[in-house]
Amino acid sequence: MSEIVVALGVAGGDTAVRWAVQRAETTNSSVRLVHVVDTQLGIGERATAETRQAVFESAEHIVAAALLTAQATTPGVRVHTQATGGNSVEIYEQLSFEAELLVIAGEWRSAEHRGRRSVVAQRIAAASRCPVAVIPDLDLSGRAGVVVGVDGSAASTAALRFGASEAARLGEPLIAVHAWDVAILGGGEFGYGIAYVSNDGFEDAAAALVDEALAPIRETYPDLLVQPVLVANDPVQALVEASAAAKLLVVGSTGRSALARFLLGSVSLGLLSDVAVPTVVIR
């Protein structure tokens, strides 16, 4: 049985827990609820024994509360719990080797440490060896569609396959978004060339790229409603706008070098900096 790992944070994560167990129910997966007391962020060897005990007792309470949420949401899903200490990035990376999906609560750290929370969550996503879903605390009622960023890369192809599978499972339309920034492609970011760049050639190339990317998806899912979206805009902004009313956003992120292991691509990084929709990053 495949497993979905949920990275719990001190600010809770009930929405992420519910999202994970509901998905597990439809994919016949188990769920592992994990809270890591990150010794890299202040609870180190210099902390008193009383402080360490209190922090680890808090971790146990967080996991126990998440378990109650999971059981109340989908009683039939097998749920395991784990509270431990160490380097959170390394621990979640190790868990991701065997996981089907790593789910991170959008409120992974407390509100007063929002910036640090964002950076650590991004590092966890970058190090993961399986797809990562970042789930913000949002009401998805009335939303529709699975949005996927398409750019012709191998990571984008994997993201498109994942997104199509999710759209088919959820009974939602698949919205394939391809964006190109004319200013950057034409040299406008450096103050030259943009006046001589025509958008027509980019649009024709974009249409051909998206048609080619969607061909195997349409063959695999003949009943799936597929909506291509081509837009001349910054890719991050285009995906944010396209997913404003969506149930899910899926993007690919490249890089597996020693440095890239701790980094995300510019688009996925931009999207995870302020998550406004459940977002899955495929690496």
Side-chain angles (χ1 to χ4, degrees), residues 56-124:
F56 278 93
E57 286 179 353
S58 176
E60 295 286 355
H61 289 314
I62 290 170
V63 170
L67 177 60
L68 291 177
T69 297
Q71 292 172 334
T73 304
T74 54
V77 172
R78 182 179 299 179
V79 181
H80 309 281
T81 62
Q82 180 177 344
T84 187
N87 183 313
S88 61
V89 174
E90 293 179 357
I91 290 172
Y92 287 121
E93 180 186 12
Q94 287 301 313
L95 290 170
S96 74
F97 275 100
E98 302 295 331
E100 162 196 347
L101 183 67
L102 174 59
V103 177
I104 302 175
E107 297 301 321
W108 198 78
R109 294 254 164 218
S110 55
E112 62 266 27
H113 297 302
R114 176 174 180 140
R116 186 172 68 184
R117 176 200 67 212
S118 177
V119 170
V120 176
Q122 289 166 8
R123 287 187 62 200
I124 292 171

Side-chain angles (χ1 to χ4, degrees), residues 241-260:
E241 292 177 359
S243 62
K247 284 191 173 179
L248 186 68
L249 170 63
V250 185
V251 293
S253 183
T254 58
R256 270 296 170 204
S257 66
L259 176 61

Side-chain angles (χ1 to χ4, degrees), residues 123-180:
R123 287 187 62 200
I124 292 171
S128 176
R129 304 309 177 102
C130 69
V132 174
V134 180
I135 310 300
D137 186 15
L138 294 173
D139 181 5
L140 301 180
S141 301
R143 290 176 173 243
V146 175
V147 175
V148 181
V150 179
D151 65 10
S153 67
S156 166
T157 299
L160 194 54
R161 287 197 298 264
F162 184 97
S165 175
E166 288 297 288
R169 181 179 67 83
L170 296 169
E172 296 288 340
L174 177 69
I175 304 167
V177 178
H178 177 76
W180 64 98

Side-chain angles (χ1 to χ4, degrees), residues 10 16 37 44 47-48 100 121 128 156 219:
V10 297
V37 176
T48 65
E100 162 196 347
S128 176
S156 166
E219 183 177 350

Side-chain angles (χ1 to χ4, degrees), residues 190-215:
F190 300 110
Y192 64 87
I194 191 62
Y196 303 100
V197 175
S198 168
N199 194 49
D200 295 340
F202 291 128
E203 188 168 0
D204 291 342
L209 182 151
V210 173
D211 283 345
E212 182 178 356
L214 289 177

